[in-house]
Amino acid sequence: MTNNNDTQAPHAPAPIETHPWQPWMPPGAKVLIMGTFPPGSHRWAMDFYYPNRTNDFWRVMGIIYEGSADAFYDRTSRQYRLDDIKRMLTQHGIALSDTGRRIRRLKGNASDKFLEIVEPAPLLQLLAEMPDCRAVATTGEKAAQVVAQLTGTPLPAIGQPIDWTAPDGRTIRLWRLPSTSRAYPLAPEKKAEAYKAFLKDSGCC
């Protein structure tokens, strides 16, 4: 008899996903903040970066720029205030991208631990389009690892930037910041302190 367990087909590889958004690059951007990749669309509270309600990124930015964790979130509609977010980013010269342009979710979830970067974002191209940018910050370890690989630099310690000379001769300060995922055990107010130090150093607040 044939043992069915011996004839099972191997599992198909996880599908490749392409990033849903173009990089956000306001005129005169001074800094580029990079995460890894957005969660599945069923978890979005807006069609933009850091769309997950349980991610602390916009709480952190609200604390820094508006003095309130809920400044960019409407509790009634349970949606982010995207127009206010874009206005704030433009005013302070903050660009956004993610380090993964194309990825596979090896476990079907949004965890960086199980995210395979198939194609990284074109960091050098992005920087070439932002001549005033002098700092790149990553929101978590996985993103920091990708930037370190793309720049050929060591992985920075959290909150301790390193300087990197870009191909065009610019000195770019590379920061690794605390993850804004709720899985990272730090209060939003404490995360905001680290982010504010980066933004203040970069002339954005």
Side-chain angles (χ1 to χ4, degrees), residues 98-129:
D98 279 326
T99 51
R101 173 177 269 187
R102 300 171 73 234
I103 60 94
R104 282 192 180 95
R105 301 184 199 274
L106 303 181
K107 295 289 187 180
N109 59 33
S111 171
D112 281 359
K113 184 178 180 181
F114 302 111
L115 204 68
E116 176 190 352
I117 305 291
V118 176
E119 178 187 343
L123 177 59
L124 299 185
Q125 178 184 325
L126 295 179
L127 290 173
E129 296 176 24

PDB file of all heavy atoms in Angstrom, residues 98-129:
ATOM      1  N   ASP A  98       8.932  52.479   3.391  1.00  0.00           N
ATOM      2  CA  ASP A  98       9.216  51.254   4.120  1.00  0.00           C
ATOM      3  C   ASP A  98      10.419  50.591   3.486  1.00  0.00           C
ATOM      4  O   ASP A  98      10.759  50.857   2.319  1.00  0.00           O
ATOM      5  CB  ASP A  98       8.002  50.309   4.100  1.00  0.00           C
ATOM      6  CG  ASP A  98       6.953  50.686   5.145  1.00  0.00           C
ATOM      7  OD1 ASP A  98       7.347  51.170   6.222  1.00  0.00           O
ATOM      8  OD2 ASP A  98       5.760  50.500   4.882  1.00  0.00           O
ATOM      9  N   THR A  99      11.085  49.740   4.233  1.00  0.00           N
ATOM     10  CA  THR A  99      12.299  49.113   3.712  1.00  0.00           C
ATOM     11  C   THR A  99      12.000  47.945   2.784  1.00  0.00           C
ATOM     12  O   THR A  99      12.858  47.528   2.026  1.00  0.00           O
ATOM     13  CB  THR A  99      13.184  48.629   4.870  1.00  0.00           C
ATOM     14  OG1 THR A  99      12.399  47.839   5.771  1.00  0.00           O
ATOM     15  CG2 THR A  99      13.778  49.807   5.627  1.00  0.00           C
ATOM     16  N   GLY A 100      10.774  47.420   2.837  1.00  0.00           N
ATOM     17  CA  GLY A 100      10.395  46.335   1.945  1.00  0.00           C
ATOM     18  C   GLY A 100       9.543  46.836   0.797  1.00  0.00           C
ATOM     19  O   GLY A 100       8.470  47.394   1.022  1.00  0.00           O
ATOM     20  N   ARG A 101      10.008  46.669  -0.431  1.00  0.00           N
ATOM     21  CA  ARG A 101       9.165  46.992  -1.587  1.00  0.00           C
ATOM     22  C   ARG A 101       8.323  45.779  -1.979  1.00  0.00           C
ATOM     23  O   ARG A 101       7.158  45.915  -2.315  1.00  0.00           O
ATOM     24  CB  ARG A 101      10.023  47.438  -2.772  1.00  0.00           C
ATOM     25  CG  ARG A 101       9.224  47.621  -4.064  1.00  0.00           C
ATOM     26  CD  ARG A 101      10.070  48.124  -5.202  1.00  0.00           C
ATOM     27  NE  ARG A 101      10.051  49.588  -5.244  1.00  0.00           N
ATOM     28  CZ  ARG A 101      10.603  50.293  -6.219  1.00  0.00           C
ATOM     29  NH1 ARG A 101      11.255  49.680  -7.219  1.00  0.00           N
ATOM     30  NH2 ARG A 101      10.541  51.607  -6.212  1.00  0.00           N
ATOM     31  N   ARG A 102       8.934  44.596  -1.902  1.00  0.00           N
ATOM     32  CA  ARG A 102       8.209  43.356  -2.175  1.00  0.00           C
ATOM     33  C   ARG A 102       8.602  42.354  -1.091  1.00  0.00           C
ATOM     34  O   ARG A 102       9.792  42.210  -0.772  1.00  0.00           O
ATOM     35  CB  ARG A 102       8.529  42.810  -3.570  1.00  0.00           C
ATOM     36  CG  ARG A 102       8.170  43.767  -4.686  1.00  0.00           C
ATOM     37  CD  ARG A 102       8.685  43.334  -6.054  1.00  0.00           C
ATOM     38  NE  ARG A 102       7.940  42.216  -6.579  1.00  0.00           N
ATOM     39  CZ  ARG A 102       8.492  41.069  -6.996  1.00  0.00           C
ATOM     40  NH1 ARG A 102       9.792  40.895  -6.912  1.00  0.00           N
ATOM     41  NH2 ARG A 102       7.735  40.107  -7.475  1.00  0.00           N
ATOM     42  N   ILE A 103       7.601  41.658  -0.541  1.00  0.00           N
ATOM     43  CA  ILE A 103       7.856  40.786   0.615  1.00  0.00           C
ATOM     44  C   ILE A 103       7.025  39.509   0.535  1.00  0.00           C
ATOM     45  O   ILE A 103       6.093  39.396  -0.259  1.00  0.00           O
ATOM     46  CB  ILE A 103       7.541  41.508   1.949  1.00  0.00           C
ATOM     47  CG1 ILE A 103       6.034  41.940   2.004  1.00  0.00           C
ATOM     48  CG2 ILE A 103       8.433  42.729   2.125  1.00  0.00           C
ATOM     49  CD1 ILE A 103       5.114  40.982   2.683  1.00  0.00           C
ATOM     50  N   ARG A 104       7.379  38.555   1.396  1.00  0.00           N
ATOM     51  CA  ARG A 104       6.537  37.385   1.663  1.00  0.00           C
ATOM     52  C   ARG A 104       6.253  37.346   3.165  1.00  0.00           C
ATOM     53  O   ARG A 104       7.154  37.568   3.977  1.00  0.00           O
ATOM     54  CB  ARG A 104       7.234  36.075   1.276  1.00  0.00           C
ATOM     55  CG  ARG A 104       7.241  35.744  -0.197  1.00  0.00           C
ATOM     56  CD  ARG A 104       7.681  34.293  -0.418  1.00  0.00           C
ATOM     57  NE  ARG A 104       7.701  33.924  -1.815  1.00  0.00           N
ATOM     58  CZ  ARG A 104       8.785  33.971  -2.585  1.00  0.00           C
ATOM     59  NH1 ARG A 104       9.942  34.369  -2.061  1.00  0.00           N
ATOM     60  NH2 ARG A 104       8.720  33.612  -3.839  1.00  0.00           N
ATOM     61  N   ARG A 105       5.000  37.053   3.530  1.00  0.00           N
ATOM     62  CA  ARG A 105       4.643  36.838   4.931  1.00  0.00           C
ATOM     63  C   ARG A 105       4.729  35.332   5.182  1.00  0.00           C
ATOM     64  O   ARG A 105       3.848  34.572   4.780  1.00  0.00           O
ATOM     65  CB  ARG A 105       3.235  37.337   5.210  1.00  0.00           C
ATOM     66  CG  ARG A 105       3.028  38.817   4.927  1.00  0.00           C
ATOM     67  CD  ARG A 105       1.626  39.235   5.334  1.00  0.00           C
ATOM     68  NE  ARG A 105       1.218  40.470   4.698  1.00  0.00           N
ATOM     69  CZ  ARG A 105       1.479  41.694   5.171  1.00  0.00           C
ATOM     70  NH1 ARG A 105       2.152  41.825   6.290  1.00  0.00           N
ATOM     71  NH2 ARG A 105       1.065  42.761   4.518  1.00  0.00           N
ATOM     72  N   LEU A 106       5.763  34.897   5.846  1.00  0.00           N
ATOM     73  CA  LEU A 106       6.014  33.469   6.008  1.00  0.00           C
ATOM     74  C   LEU A 106       5.019  32.801   6.939  1.00  0.00           C
ATOM     75  O   LEU A 106       4.805  31.591   6.877  1.00  0.00           O
ATOM     76  CB  LEU A 106       7.448  33.247   6.500  1.00  0.00           C
ATOM     77  CG  LEU A 106       8.543  33.837   5.593  1.00  0.00           C
ATOM     78  CD1 LEU A 106       9.922  33.531   6.160  1.00  0.00           C
ATOM     79  CD2 LEU A 106       8.419  33.305   4.165  1.00  0.00           C
ATOM     80  N   LYS A 107       4.401  33.588   7.822  1.00  0.00           N
ATOM     81  CA  LYS A 107       3.398  33.041   8.748  1.00  0.00           C
ATOM     82  C   LYS A 107       2.026  33.674   8.535  1.00  0.00           C
ATOM     83  O   LYS A 107       1.126  33.483   9.349  1.00  0.00           O
ATOM     84  CB  LYS A 107       3.842  33.270  10.202  1.00  0.00           C
ATOM     85  CG  LYS A 107       5.109  32.514  10.593  1.00  0.00           C
ATOM     86  CD  LYS A 107       4.862  31.017  10.700  1.00  0.00           C
ATOM     87  CE  LYS A 107       6.085  30.306  11.252  1.00  0.00           C
ATOM     88  NZ  LYS A 107       5.876  28.851  11.359  1.00  0.00           N
ATOM     89  N   GLY A 108       1.865  34.443   7.470  1.00  0.00           N
ATOM     90  CA  GLY A 108       0.566  35.028   7.165  1.00  0.00           C
ATOM     91  C   GLY A 108       0.160  36.178   8.062  1.00  0.00           C
ATOM     92  O   GLY A 108      -1.008  36.563   8.083  1.00  0.00           O
ATOM     93  N   ASN A 109       1.109  36.742   8.832  1.00  0.00           N
ATOM     94  CA  ASN A 109       0.766  37.866   9.707  1.00  0.00           C
ATOM     95  C   ASN A 109       1.709  39.035   9.450  1.00  0.00           C
ATOM     96  O   ASN A 109       2.516  39.004   8.526  1.00  0.00           O
ATOM     97  CB  ASN A 109       0.794  37.438  11.175  1.00  0.00           C
ATOM     98  CG  ASN A 109       2.159  36.895  11.606  1.00  0.00           C
ATOM     99  OD1 ASN A 109       3.196  37.347  11.122  1.00  0.00           O
ATOM    100  ND2 ASN A 109       2.150  35.936  12.517  1.00  0.00           N
ATOM    101  N   ALA A 110       1.596  40.069  10.267  1.00  0.00           N
ATOM    102  CA  ALA A 110       2.371  41.290  10.048  1.00  0.00           C
ATOM    103  C   ALA A 110       3.674  41.318  10.844  1.00  0.00           C
ATOM    104  O   ALA A 110       4.381  42.327  10.825  1.00  0.00           O
ATOM    105  CB  ALA A 110       1.530  42.504  10.412  1.00  0.00           C
ATOM    106  N   SER A 111       4.004  40.247  11.520  1.00  0.00           N
ATOM    107  CA  SER A 111       5.200  40.232  12.360  1.00  0.00           C
ATOM    108  C   SER A 111       6.469  40.344  11.516  1.00  0.00           C
ATOM    109  O   SER A 111       6.662  39.602  10.550  1.00  0.00           O
ATOM    110  CB  SER A 111       5.245  38.939  13.183  1.00  0.00           C
ATOM    111  OG  SER A 111       6.484  38.804  13.845  1.00  0.00           O
ATOM    112  N   ASP A 112       7.342  41.273  11.903  1.00  0.00           N
ATOM    113  CA  ASP A 112       8.629  41.411  11.212  1.00  0.00           C
ATOM    114  C   ASP A 112       9.449  40.133  11.287  1.00  0.00           C
ATOM    115  O   ASP A 112      10.238  39.836  10.385  1.00  0.00           O
ATOM    116  CB  ASP A 112       9.430  42.565  11.826  1.00  0.00           C
ATOM    117  CG  ASP A 112       8.967  43.927  11.334  1.00  0.00           C
ATOM    118  OD1 ASP A 112       8.049  43.978  10.503  1.00  0.00           O
ATOM    119  OD2 ASP A 112       9.539  44.928  11.798  1.00  0.00           O
ATOM    120  N   LYS A 113       9.283  39.392  12.358  1.00  0.00           N
ATOM    121  CA  LYS A 113      10.056  38.167  12.562  1.00  0.00           C
ATOM    122  C   LYS A 113       9.826  37.168  11.441  1.00  0.00           C
ATOM    123  O   LYS A 113      10.728  36.389  11.091  1.00  0.00           O
ATOM    124  CB  LYS A 113       9.682  37.548  13.916  1.00  0.00           C
ATOM    125  CG  LYS A 113      10.496  36.322  14.293  1.00  0.00           C
ATOM    126  CD  LYS A 113      10.093  35.822  15.671  1.00  0.00           C
ATOM    127  CE  LYS A 113      10.893  34.583  16.061  1.00  0.00           C
ATOM    128  NZ  LYS A 113      10.495  34.074  17.395  1.00  0.00           N
ATOM    129  N   PHE A 114       8.622  37.179  10.877  1.00  0.00           N
ATOM    130  CA  PHE A 114       8.272  36.220   9.837  1.00  0.00           C
ATOM    131  C   PHE A 114       8.050  36.908   8.491  1.00  0.00           C
ATOM    132  O   PHE A 114       7.243  36.462   7.695  1.00  0.00           O
ATOM    133  CB  PHE A 114       7.034  35.422  10.249  1.00  0.00           C
ATOM    134  CG  PHE A 114       7.205  34.676  11.539  1.00  0.00           C
ATOM    135  CD1 PHE A 114       6.497  35.054  12.675  1.00  0.00           C
ATOM    136  CD2 PHE A 114       8.099  33.629  11.641  1.00  0.00           C
ATOM    137  CE1 PHE A 114       6.662  34.378  13.881  1.00  0.00           C
ATOM    138  CE2 PHE A 114       8.271  32.944  12.833  1.00  0.00           C
ATOM    139  CZ  PHE A 114       7.557  33.317  13.952  1.00  0.00           C
ATOM    140  N   LEU A 115       8.795  37.994   8.260  1.00  0.00           N
ATOM    141  CA  LEU A 115       8.681  38.740   7.016  1.00  0.00           C
ATOM    142  C   LEU A 115       9.960  38.545   6.211  1.00  0.00           C
ATOM    143  O   LEU A 115      11.057  38.804   6.699  1.00  0.00           O
ATOM    144  CB  LEU A 115       8.483  40.226   7.328  1.00  0.00           C
ATOM    145  CG  LEU A 115       7.812  41.083   6.266  1.00  0.00           C
ATOM    146  CD1 LEU A 115       6.347  40.693   6.091  1.00  0.00           C
ATOM    147  CD2 LEU A 115       7.891  42.553   6.662  1.00  0.00           C
ATOM    148  N   GLU A 116       9.816  38.075   4.994  1.00  0.00           N
ATOM    149  CA  GLU A 116      10.964  37.916   4.097  1.00  0.00           C
ATOM    150  C   GLU A 116      10.988  39.087   3.119  1.00  0.00           C
ATOM    151  O   GLU A 116      10.029  39.311   2.389  1.00  0.00           O
ATOM    152  CB  GLU A 116      10.865  36.605   3.325  1.00  0.00           C
ATOM    153  CG  GLU A 116      11.978  36.421   2.287  1.00  0.00           C
ATOM    154  CD  GLU A 116      11.745  35.250   1.350  1.00  0.00           C
ATOM    155  OE1 GLU A 116      10.790  34.473   1.591  1.00  0.00           O
ATOM    156  OE2 GLU A 116      12.495  35.125   0.383  1.00  0.00           O
ATOM    157  N   ILE A 117      12.086  39.831   3.109  1.00  0.00           N
ATOM    158  CA  ILE A 117      12.230  40.940   2.170  1.00  0.00           C
ATOM    159  C   ILE A 117      12.697  40.365   0.836  1.00  0.00           C
ATOM    160  O   ILE A 117      13.841  39.930   0.701  1.00  0.00           O
ATOM    161  CB  ILE A 117      13.236  41.990   2.674  1.00  0.00           C
ATOM    162  CG1 ILE A 117      12.853  42.497   4.070  1.00  0.00           C
ATOM    163  CG2 ILE A 117      13.346  43.142   1.676  1.00  0.00           C
ATOM    164  CD1 ILE A 117      11.624  43.338   4.133  1.00  0.00           C
ATOM    165  N   VAL A 118      11.808  40.350  -0.138  1.00  0.00           N
ATOM    166  CA  VAL A 118      12.148  39.844  -1.469  1.00  0.00           C
ATOM    167  C   VAL A 118      12.884  40.911  -2.269  1.00  0.00           C
ATOM    168  O   VAL A 118      13.850  40.632  -2.977  1.00  0.00           O
ATOM    169  CB  VAL A 118      10.872  39.391  -2.216  1.00  0.00           C
ATOM    170  CG1 VAL A 118      11.199  38.962  -3.648  1.00  0.00           C
ATOM    171  CG2 VAL A 118      10.181  38.267  -1.459  1.00  0.00           C
ATOM    172  N   GLU A 119      12.422  42.146  -2.151  1.00  0.00           N
ATOM    173  CA  GLU A 119      13.059  43.284  -2.826  1.00  0.00           C
ATOM    174  C   GLU A 119      13.021  44.482  -1.883  1.00  0.00           C
ATOM    175  O   GLU A 119      11.943  44.934  -1.515  1.00  0.00           O
ATOM    176  CB  GLU A 119      12.336  43.624  -4.125  1.00  0.00           C
ATOM    177  CG  GLU A 119      12.919  44.820  -4.856  1.00  0.00           C
ATOM    178  CD  GLU A 119      12.083  45.239  -6.049  1.00  0.00           C
ATOM    179  OE1 GLU A 119      11.246  44.432  -6.508  1.00  0.00           O
ATOM    180  OE2 GLU A 119      12.249  46.381  -6.513  1.00  0.00           O
ATOM    181  N   PRO A 120      14.187  45.000  -1.486  1.00  0.00           N
ATOM    182  CA  PRO A 120      14.178  46.160  -0.590  1.00  0.00           C
ATOM    183  C   PRO A 120      13.825  47.434  -1.344  1.00  0.00           C
ATOM    184  O   PRO A 120      13.897  47.504  -2.574  1.00  0.00           O
ATOM    185  CB  PRO A 120      15.612  46.205  -0.068  1.00  0.00           C
ATOM    186  CG  PRO A 120      16.425  45.580  -1.157  1.00  0.00           C
ATOM    187  CD  PRO A 120      15.548  44.528  -1.775  1.00  0.00           C
ATOM    188  N   ALA A 121      13.450  48.440  -0.594  1.00  0.00           N
ATOM    189  CA  ALA A 121      13.191  49.755  -1.180  1.00  0.00           C
ATOM    190  C   ALA A 121      14.490  50.311  -1.761  1.00  0.00           C
ATOM    191  O   ALA A 121      15.585  50.048  -1.246  1.00  0.00           O
ATOM    192  CB  ALA A 121      12.639  50.702  -0.121  1.00  0.00           C
ATOM    193  N   PRO A 122      14.403  51.123  -2.821  1.00  0.00           N
ATOM    194  CA  PRO A 122      15.605  51.701  -3.441  1.00  0.00           C
ATOM    195  C   PRO A 122      16.092  52.921  -2.653  1.00  0.00           C
ATOM    196  O   PRO A 122      15.891  54.069  -3.062  1.00  0.00           O
ATOM    197  CB  PRO A 122      15.120  52.073  -4.842  1.00  0.00           C
ATOM    198  CG  PRO A 122      13.664  52.401  -4.656  1.00  0.00           C
ATOM    199  CD  PRO A 122      13.174  51.472  -3.566  1.00  0.00           C
ATOM    200  N   LEU A 123      16.737  52.680  -1.539  1.00  0.00           N
ATOM    201  CA  LEU A 123      17.107  53.763  -0.625  1.00  0.00           C
ATOM    202  C   LEU A 123      17.944  54.840  -1.308  1.00  0.00           C
ATOM    203  O   LEU A 123      17.693  56.039  -1.130  1.00  0.00           O
ATOM    204  CB  LEU A 123      17.861  53.191   0.574  1.00  0.00           C
ATOM    205  CG  LEU A 123      18.379  54.213   1.596  1.00  0.00           C
ATOM    206  CD1 LEU A 123      17.230  55.026   2.170  1.00  0.00           C
ATOM    207  CD2 LEU A 123      19.156  53.515   2.703  1.00  0.00           C
ATOM    208  N   LEU A 124      18.945  54.446  -2.075  1.00  0.00           N
ATOM    209  CA  LEU A 124      19.809  55.446  -2.707  1.00  0.00           C
ATOM    210  C   LEU A 124      19.022  56.307  -3.687  1.00  0.00           C
ATOM    211  O   LEU A 124      19.241  57.516  -3.782  1.00  0.00           O
ATOM    212  CB  LEU A 124      20.986  54.762  -3.414  1.00  0.00           C
ATOM    213  CG  LEU A 124      21.915  53.938  -2.527  1.00  0.00           C
ATOM    214  CD1 LEU A 124      23.098  53.427  -3.336  1.00  0.00           C
ATOM    215  CD2 LEU A 124      22.404  54.753  -1.336  1.00  0.00           C
ATOM    216  N   GLN A 125      18.088  55.696  -4.403  1.00  0.00           N
ATOM    217  CA  GLN A 125      17.245  56.457  -5.326  1.00  0.00           C
ATOM    218  C   GLN A 125      16.361  57.445  -4.566  1.00  0.00           C
ATOM    219  O   GLN A 125      16.198  58.595  -4.984  1.00  0.00           O
ATOM    220  CB  GLN A 125      16.380  55.509  -6.141  1.00  0.00           C
ATOM    221  CG  GLN A 125      15.425  56.196  -7.111  1.00  0.00           C
ATOM    222  CD  GLN A 125      14.527  55.204  -7.828  1.00  0.00           C
ATOM    223  OE1 GLN A 125      14.942  54.085  -8.144  1.00  0.00           O
ATOM    224  NE2 GLN A 125      13.289  55.597  -8.076  1.00  0.00           N
ATOM    225  N   LEU A 126      15.799  56.999  -3.447  1.00  0.00           N
ATOM    226  CA  LEU A 126      14.959  57.883  -2.647  1.00  0.00           C
ATOM    227  C   LEU A 126      15.758  59.087  -2.151  1.00  0.00           C
ATOM    228  O   LEU A 126      15.295  60.228  -2.221  1.00  0.00           O
ATOM    229  CB  LEU A 126      14.366  57.125  -1.463  1.00  0.00           C
ATOM    230  CG  LEU A 126      13.391  55.992  -1.783  1.00  0.00           C
ATOM    231  CD1 LEU A 126      12.911  55.338  -0.482  1.00  0.00           C
ATOM    232  CD2 LEU A 126      12.213  56.494  -2.589  1.00  0.00           C
ATOM    233  N   LEU A 127      16.948  58.830  -1.656  1.00  0.00           N
ATOM    234  CA  LEU A 127      17.771  59.919  -1.144  1.00  0.00           C
ATOM    235  C   LEU A 127      18.177  60.879  -2.255  1.00  0.00           C
ATOM    236  O   LEU A 127      18.258  62.095  -2.044  1.00  0.00           O
ATOM    237  CB  LEU A 127      19.004  59.365  -0.436  1.00  0.00           C
ATOM    238  CG  LEU A 127      18.732  58.645   0.891  1.00  0.00           C
ATOM    239  CD1 LEU A 127      20.006  57.991   1.412  1.00  0.00           C
ATOM    240  CD2 LEU A 127      18.163  59.610   1.931  1.00  0.00           C
ATOM    241  N   ALA A 128      18.417  60.345  -3.457  1.00  0.00           N
ATOM    242  CA  ALA A 128      18.769  61.206  -4.584  1.00  0.00           C
ATOM    243  C   ALA A 128      17.634  62.159  -4.926  1.00  0.00           C
ATOM    244  O   ALA A 128      17.872  63.262  -5.450  1.00  0.00           O
ATOM    245  CB  ALA A 128      19.130  60.348  -5.796  1.00  0.00           C
ATOM    246  N   GLU A 129      16.393  61.759  -4.626  1.00  0.00           N
ATOM    247  CA  GLU A 129      15.227  62.601  -4.903  1.00  0.00           C
ATOM    248  C   GLU A 129      14.922  63.554  -3.741  1.00  0.00           C
ATOM    249  O   GLU A 129      13.991  64.361  -3.845  1.00  0.00           O
ATOM    250  CB  GLU A 129      14.014  61.715  -5.184  1.00  0.00           C
ATOM    251  CG  GLU A 129      14.162  60.867  -6.442  1.00  0.00           C
ATOM    252  CD  GLU A 129      12.994  59.924  -6.652  1.00  0.00           C
ATOM    253  OE1 GLU A 129      11.898  60.206  -6.133  1.00  0.00           O
ATOM    254  OE2 GLU A 129      13.179  58.894  -7.331  1.00  0.00           O
TER     255      GLU A 129
END
